[in-house]
Every structure is written in structure tokens, then in C-alpha cells.
């Protein structure tokens, strides 16, 4: 069974994590969330994991060099025999120690059709604001392999959603988020069933 480690953002809302855990409980995903790692105690994502009895770890960045942070993160993941790392709301560039050790085994979910509306500083609402301001008629989400550049590694899968002229940023955000949950679970189901093998290209 594939052991999944999920990295969430400091104030991680955790809706993608919850989608993964629900899919596992429903028998749609033959995998296990082995650990959820955040950087701030009390983040909703960490609480949601703990409520399901999933192991949680807080690895803070304060008072640590990038290398130290990377080493602690890597140790926490390796200790739990994680096969696949999922970034779900994780905002930082991953330390090289991790991208090197888990090459092809780290995926990220991003709320746009990359390479459009991606890169450093393009996260959360900012992405959907840029989509609305650009006047495009579609947006969506992307699961991609993580390397050491922001939103950069090979695309694994994408899902499109329509954007309508009278959409608010919130309308776009919620439509994309729903697509994210479905896409992420579908990609994980393919990995867990062996349809896609690790490491990913
Ligand atoms: C999602 O929109 C994801 O694409 C982005 O951060 C957000 C995380 O949301 N990387 P949640 O914490 O999973 O609800």
C-alpha cells in the first residue's frame, strides 16, 4: 500500500487533505496517509488529520537554516517510510535535500492551468484574481511533479473549469477548488492502483 506524506501550509485550510482522507475512507484510494506535516501548530489541516487519527508533525522554519529545515523535514518523512509526498497548500520552495531524495515522488496541486498563472508569488486568491483580470474563459488546476523551482516540474494531470464573464474571484476559486479535490484524488488513485508508477517522470 502506498504511504502518502502530506505537506500543508502554515495556516493550511486542509480541504485537499480532507478530500484524500475521505477518498481513503470511502475505499476509493488504496493508500494510507502516513503523516501530515505543517509548520504551525493548530493549523486547520493538522487538526483535521489528528481528528482522523493521522500522525501529525510540526516542522517550523524559525531559527533554522534552509539546510537544517530540509534535514528535519526529510527525516520526518523517511522515518515514516513515505512513498509519495503530496504538497497540498504548501507554499515554500522545497529544500533540495527533499527534492533530491524524493525525485519523482513529490507532487503539488496548483489552482491554475500551469504554466499559466504560476510561479513565485502566485498562490491562493492571487491566482484567481489574475485569472479574472486576464478575462480568460477557462481556468482549472494542475497536479505536477515537484522540482526545486516554483510550479515548475512536469505536469501529471490537469482539469479545466469554465470562467464566466460575471464570475467573482470567489466563484472562480470555489469552482477550481472542487476540481482540485477530484483531480488530486484521481491522480492518487492511479498511483495507488499502479496505473502510474513511481517515480513519476
Ligand atoms: C489549494 O488551492 C492548492 O491548489 C494550493 O493551495 C490551496 C490549498 O487548499 N496549492 P487546502 O489547504 O487544501 O484547502
Amino acid at each position: 500500500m502506498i504511504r502518502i506524506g502530506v505537506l500543508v501550509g502554515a495556516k493550511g485550510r486542509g480541504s485537499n487533505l480532507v478530500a484524500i482522507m475521505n477518498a481513503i475512507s470511502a475505499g476509493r484510494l488504496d493508500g494510507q496517509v502516513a503523516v501530515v506535516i505543517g509548520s504551525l501548530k493548530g493549523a486547520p489541516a493538522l487538526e483535521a488529520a489528528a481528528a482522523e487519527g493521522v500522525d501529525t508533525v510540526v516542522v517550523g522554519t524559525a531559527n533554522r537554516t534552509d539546510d537544517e529545515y530540509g534535514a528535519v523535514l526529510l527525516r520526518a518523512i523517511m522515518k515514516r517510510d513515505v512513498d509519495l509526498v503530496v504538497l497540498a497548500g504548501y507554499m515554500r520552495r522545497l529544500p533540495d535535500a527533499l527534492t533530491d531524495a524524493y525525485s519523482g515522488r513529490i507532487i503539488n496541486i496548483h489552482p491554475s492551468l500551469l504554466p499559466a498563472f504560476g510561479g513565485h508569488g502566485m498562490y491562493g486568491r492571487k491566482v484567481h484574481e489574475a485569472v479574472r483580470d486576464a478575462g480568460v474563459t477557462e481556468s482549472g488546476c494542475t497536479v505536477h511533479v515537484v522540482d526545486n523551482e516554483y510550479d515548475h516540474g512536469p505536469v501529471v494531470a490537469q482539469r479545466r473549469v469554465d470562467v464566466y464573464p460575471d464570475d467573482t474571484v470567489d466563484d472562480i476559486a470555489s469552482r477550481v477548488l472542487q476540481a482540485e479535490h477530484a483531480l488530486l484524488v484521481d491522480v492518487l488513485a492511479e498511483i495507488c492502483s499502479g496505473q502510474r508508477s513511481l517515480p513519476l517522470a
Side-chain angles (χ1 to χ4, degrees), residues 42-59:
L46 293 175
E47 309 268 287
E52 293 294 315
V54 169
D55 197 4
T56 62
V57 180
V58 175
V59 182

Side-chain angles (χ1 to χ4, degrees), residues 12-17 88-90 108-111 177 180:
R13 170 179 55 185
S15 71
N16 279 289
L17 166 68
Y90 184 84
N108 179 44
I109 176 103
H110 181 82
L177 190 62
E180 285 186 41

Side-chain angles (χ1 to χ4, degrees), residues 15-17 19 109 141 176-186:
S15 71
N16 279 289
L17 166 68
I109 176 103
C141 50
V176 170
L177 190 62
Q178 248 185 308
E180 285 186 41
H181 299 158
L183 179 68
L184 187 55
V185 167
D186 285 353

